[in-house]
Amino acid sequence: MPEGRSMCSGCLDTVGPVLRRGGGRLVRWFVLSLPIIVGLAVPASARELRVCADPNNLPFSNERGEGFENKIVEILAKDLGAEVSYVWWAQRRGFVRNTLKAGLCDLIPGTPADLEMLSPTAPYYRSSYVFVTREDGPDISSFDDPRLRDLTIGVQLIGDDGADPPPVTELARRGIVGRLRGFPVYGDYSLPNPPSRIIEAVAEGEIDVAIAWGPLAGYFAERQPVRLKVAPVSPQADQATIPMVYDISMGVRRDDEGLRGEIDAALAKHKPEIKAVLTEYNVPLLDPTGSRSP
């Protein structure tokens, strides 16, 4: 557009000769209609749903919008009449503090339902840690399986300091520590899909069994060149102290009860579509009793 001309200067160029021929009534019509014409030319500002997510963390999210959390957020945003804008931040220590609590975004998908740093929505899925083995490998579903003592076991290490996740604690309590292989959840962030390495190690025969978080394991197990078996850890919790099953919610700031209510309503309304997305990504889903969902 040439400098100094309004967006409707072309309108005047077009109707000027007509105005001169049509007289005052047409002039009055045009003046009264000008705000409508301009209003149609400038779309109303859409509501913005600001989401904080990891740009390299499939199957959950990535900057190309290929994760199941990306897909579910789009469902919710459509219900809210909002456009999604992302703040990309690697999920390391301080993620919530540096993003949501700092006011950079309004929503974090995929948070534990009991995370106290934020206000969680109602859970939108429940999953568990799983055992992953090759098709010709042993069927393992319990930490009490005696065969674990003779197998090379891959386990996930969580956090910058390599903290032990619940499965490692349970293995250690049983004295199964001699043949463990640690795989950092964060992995090499310069490569795509850094958490997938533990599942690839099963497929390549580097380890006999992996114990990994279910959504990650289910997604990457389906993408290996050999068939793998995925079995939820049983029981759900050992001695009722260390859970292997977790409810997953979305999180908003603790003072943002309005948005939490809207997200809760959208999650309930679109439950079938959300389950379809999770199923498409091979997320092992458990019902509230801990059994596999159909």
Side-chain angles (χ1 to χ4, degrees), residues 75-89:
I75 292 172
L76 302 182
K78 184 177 180 180
D79 186 87
L80 269 57
E83 295 290 337
V84 180
S85 65
Y86 279 97
V87 174
W88 299 114
W89 198 286

Side-chain angles (χ1 to χ4, degrees), residues 255-274:
D255 60 353
D256 200 350
E257 295 303 305
L259 179 58
R260 188 183 72 170
E262 288 185 288
I263 297 295
D264 274 338
L267 288 171
K269 178 179 178 182
H270 297 283
K271 186 175 180 179
E273 298 121 283
I274 291 170

Side-chain angles (χ1 to χ4, degrees), residues 50-169:
R50 301 183 303 162
V51 178
C52 282
D54 193 310
N56 186 21
N57 192 31
L58 287 179
F60 308 100
S61 63
N62 71 5
E63 60 187 350
R64 293 181 295 278
E66 297 170 334
F68 68 77
E69 288 173 357
N70 299 120
K71 307 300 184 186
I72 293 172
V73 163
E74 289 292 341
I75 292 172
L76 302 182
K78 184 177 180 180
D79 186 87
L80 269 57
E83 295 290 337
V84 180
S85 65
Y86 279 97
V87 174
W88 299 114
W89 198 286
Q91 287 193 359
R92 302 289 191 267
R93 187 185 299 276
F95 175 76
V96 175
R97 181 182 68 252
N98 292 320
T99 58
L100 186 74
K101 296 186 74 172
L104 298 182
C105 61
D106 307 305
L107 181 72
I108 297 178
T111 63
D114 59 355
L115 189 61
E116 296 181 353
M117 297 178 65
L118 42 72
S119 181
T121 66
Y124 60 102
Y125 75 94
R126 167 179 282 201
S127 193
S128 73
Y129 280 95
V130 297
F131 289 97
V132 183
T133 56
R134 289 183 295 280
E135 186 176 37
D136 58 356
D139 293 316
I140 305 289
S141 62
S142 169
F143 291 112
D144 292 320
D145 193 314
R147 292 172 293 181
L148 286 174
R149 298 185 179 277
D150 300 316
L151 300 176
T152 301
I153 305 169
V155 293
Q156 293 180 292
L157 302 179
I158 299 175
D160 297 325
D161 54 359
D164 292 343
V168 175
T169 301

Side-chain angles (χ1 to χ4, degrees), residues 166-188:
V168 175
T169 301
E170 288 309 305
L171 291 171
R173 197 172 69 81
R174 292 165 172 78
I176 305 174
V177 296
R179 302 184 65 178
L180 299 187
R181 286 269 310 276
F183 293 82
V185 169
Y186 298 148
D188 184 349

